[in-house]
Structures are given as structure tokens and as C-alpha cells.
Amino acid sequence: MAEESESSMSKLLSGLGGIFTKVRDWIVSRSGLEDFMGETKQKKVPKHALNPVYCLGGVTFVALVVLGLTGLYLAGLYRPTVLEAQQSIQQISDVPFGFYMKSIHSWAANLTIIAILLHTLRVFITGSYKKPREFTWLSGVILLVLTFSFVLTGYILPMDERADVTRETLSGVLGGVKDIPLLGDVFGWLAGGAQEALTGAYWLHVTLLPLGGALFLVFHFYMIRKHGISGPL
Amino acid sequence: MNQEVVETSIEDAEEAGRPFLPNHVVEEMGVIFLVTGIIMIIASLLRPEEVGLPHIFFAGAHEMADVVAPWFAGLVILLVVIFLLALPFLDRSEERHPFKRLLFIIIMLGIILVWLVFTILGF
Ligand code: HEM
């Protein structure tokens, strides 16, 4: 009896397995994933790259994905006006998971900075910016600037004490920029009033920076795939 | 005896490595769960505004802007970014070992040191 049910169980399982294989094969053949999968199956990760410091780019990426997802949630609840910003951020805590989403967004941002700095250091120490990986490095530096811009514009959004300090320092540090023709238009809001700065920061934080970031991330990954990971020292 | 070859060639390093699919992918998934798990645990235990960690990253720039002048801090940051962008074209030797590129290692250490000093002063 037990044997019988066991064999019908294994029949069911192998039947399910067969269906799974068929569906997978169909998706692979129709989507053109075939070549990609074939190539990927052959790939081996070199021994030296199994070292955890080679994981830091991936950790940065995971943290960025977490930031994107929680950011989508928060953007629906935040109101970018001087009068409402602080209040709307407090109100997020009243919504289910709201406080949790805010906290995760903030901690993931900290992790991103730590991970990206350590990743940069790893790539620098192993000399991986050298020929032929110049473009990988250049796109990385742009990603670094974008990441810090994300954090700075993010600081302005709550319109609290830290936002004032950030705005003040930014307009001092970038003081000369507002007089330069084209750049001045893009960064002119820094020297403007509180609402102007908030609108500018919010716009950068949720449109230009995510778009630019995604673009350079795709390019970064394409370059890594093209050249492979750098060899052992 | 085989050691030397493994150390110098990417092909041999790959040969001695681990298959990407499925071994490496499975481990990567583990790392992804670990990272998101850590973020979620910290996020549920600590309120970000109570810790003040974010200030640390920018304390150096604030301090430099205060002590010297805001435009000077801006210039220094701009020069560091330009240096990073130019690095692959400045350091053109084939050498990748850190001890064989001492000049650039020293410049980078200098940048990190200045940053650390201003961060400590500003904090
Ligand atoms: C948004 C941030 C970034 C992400 C998600 C990212 C992701 C990655 C990943 C997953 C790798 C594969 C190897 C590894 O993880 O170590 C990698 C390699 C690399 N990254 Fe990044 N990266 C970022 C920022 C940067 C920055 C700031 C730089 C340098 C200034 C940089 C330069 C490089 C270089 C040169 C490689 C090739 C390394 C090699 O072949 O050994 N990346 N990146």
C-alpha cells in the first residue's frame, strides 16, 4: 500500500517535472535565451574571484534594488512642498509597513555608500581599471557621483534641520556653478528659495538620477560581461 | 609547481574556478537574501534618525567648507572626481599589483587620509 502510493507520488512528481521542462524549453527557444543560456552554462567563476571582496559590486546592486522598491512605495506618500514635506513623512509611519519602508530605505542608502566605497577600493587595489576595462571604471566613477547625488538630494526631501544644513553647504560648495550658463540652469535651484530647492531636489531624486543610474548600471554590467572579471594579481 | 601558472593566467584561474550555473548563482542568491535580511533586521531594530550614521559620510566635506572655504571644498571634490576619471589614462603600465604602482597607491592613500582627518575633525 505504502509502496503503491509512493510510486504514484513519484509518477506525479516526474509528470510535473516533465511539464516544467517543456515550459522552460519553450520559453528558452522562443525568447532567444538559448545562446545566452548555452554561453552562461559554460562559464566558470575564476578561483581568485570567489573572494568575498569581489561580491561588493553585487552587494551595492542589491542595496540599490531595495532602494528602488522602497522608494516607489514612499514616492506615493510623500508630498514635495515646504508646508507638507515634514508632515507627509511623519504620516508615512501611520500607513501599514510605512515606518518599515522608510527605515529600510534609509538603511539601504547607508549600506549602498559603504558598499560602493569598498567596491571602488577593491577595484583600485586590484588595478582592475587598466586596459581594457577603462569604460567599466569610467561608468563606475559616474555611478559613484550619481549615488552621492542621490543621497544629498534625499537629505533635502524631509525639510528638517539636516535638509537646511545640506542645502546651505551645497549652495556654498557649488556656489560658482550657478553663474555658468547651462549648468546654472540645472543647478540654479540650489541658490533659490526653500521651495525651489525642494522641487529641484525631488525632481533629481526621482527622475533624472534613477534614469541616469539605470543607464550607467546597464552599461557597467555590459562592460563587465564583455571583458570578464580581471585576472589574478 | 603548477602554482605560478594559476597565479598569472585568467584561463587557468577559470579552470580551477567554480561553474557559474548553478553553483555560483545559488551562492549569489544566498548573498542577496543575507544582504536584504541584514537591512531588514537593522531597519526594524534601529530608527535611522537615532543613529546619525549618514552625517559621517558628509562630515568631512562640511568641515572643509567650514574651515577653509565652501568653494575650496567644492574644488577639492571636483579634482578628486577628475583624478578618478583620469586614472586609467594616467596609470598606463601593465602592472596591476599594488606594490608595483606605488605612486598611485600613495595618491589614493593621501585622498583617503585627508578625508578621514576632516571627517574626524567635523564629527
Ligand atoms: C552603482 C554602483 C555599482 C554597482 C552596482 C557595481 C557593480 C559591479 C559588479 C557586480 C561588478 C563585478 C565584480 C565585483 O562585484 O567586484 C563590478 C565590477 C567593476 N566595477 Fe563596479 N559597480 C558599481 C560602482 C562602481 C564604481 C564606483 C567603480 C569605480 C570607480 C566601479 C568599477 C568597476 C570595475 C573597474 C569593475 C571590473 C572589476 C574587475 O574586472 O575586476 N564600479 N561592478
Side-chain angles (χ1 to χ4, degrees), chain B residues 20-110:
Chain B
F20 181 77
L21 259 175
N23 311 38
H24 192 64
V25 169
V26 169
E27 194 191 276
E28 291 288 291
M29 297 297 278
V31 173
I32 290 172
F33 281 122
L34 192 72
V35 172
T36 36
I38 289 173
I39 297 176
M40 287 169 82
I41 290 169
I42 296 178
S44 61
L45 294 179
L46 297 169
R47 285 169 178 268
E49 57 268 28
E50 280 169 12
V51 182
L53 186 60
H55 296 290
I56 294 178
F57 303 124
F58 296 97
H62 280 208
E63 184 64 12
M64 194 181 270
D66 277 354
V67 173
V68 195
W71 66 265
F72 184 79
L75 184 68
V76 170
I77 294 169
L78 185 68
L79 287 178
V80 170
V81 173
I82 291 175
F83 168 72
L84 288 178
L85 286 173
L87 185 61
F89 311 102
L90 298 174
D91 181 10
R92 295 174 62 95
S93 72
E94 298 265 311
E95 276 311 336
R96 284 185 41 229
H97 198 283
F99 295 150
K100 294 178 183 154
R101 317 177 262 133
L102 275 181
L103 174 65
F104 292 94
I105 296 285
I106 290 170
I107 295 176
M108 190 60 103
L109 279 179

Side-chain angles (χ1 to χ4, degrees), chain A residues 119-221:
Chain A
H119 173 61
T120 309
L121 202 61
R122 187 295 271 173
V123 173
F124 174 75
I125 290 173
T126 56
S128 305
Y129 51 82
K130 300 203 163 194
K131 188 177 140 189
R133 295 184 179 76
E134 293 95 332
F135 277 148
T136 322
W137 171 266
L138 286 179
S139 56
V141 177
I142 293 171
L143 285 169
L144 189 66
V145 173
L146 290 179
T147 304
F148 272 84
S149 310
F150 255 123
V151 180
L152 284 173
T153 51
Y155 278 0
I156 294 177
L157 303 185
M159 288 314 254
D160 52 9
E161 208 181 308
R162 190 177 65 189
D164 295 339
V165 178
T166 307
R167 224 149 38 84
E168 219 172 275
T169 314
L170 264 181
S171 58
V173 167
L174 294 171
V177 174
K178 63 178 181 292
D179 301 325
I180 302 172
L182 198 66
L183 281 180
D185 293 336
V186 181
F187 294 105
W189 52 272
L190 279 168
Q195 182 59 55
E196 211 182 329
L198 180 57
T199 308
Y202 186 62
W203 173 70
L204 281 178
H205 196 82
V206 301
T207 60
L208 198 65
L209 292 174
L211 278 176
L215 204 72
F216 281 100
L217 259 185
V218 169
F219 183 68
H220 197 64
F221 287 154

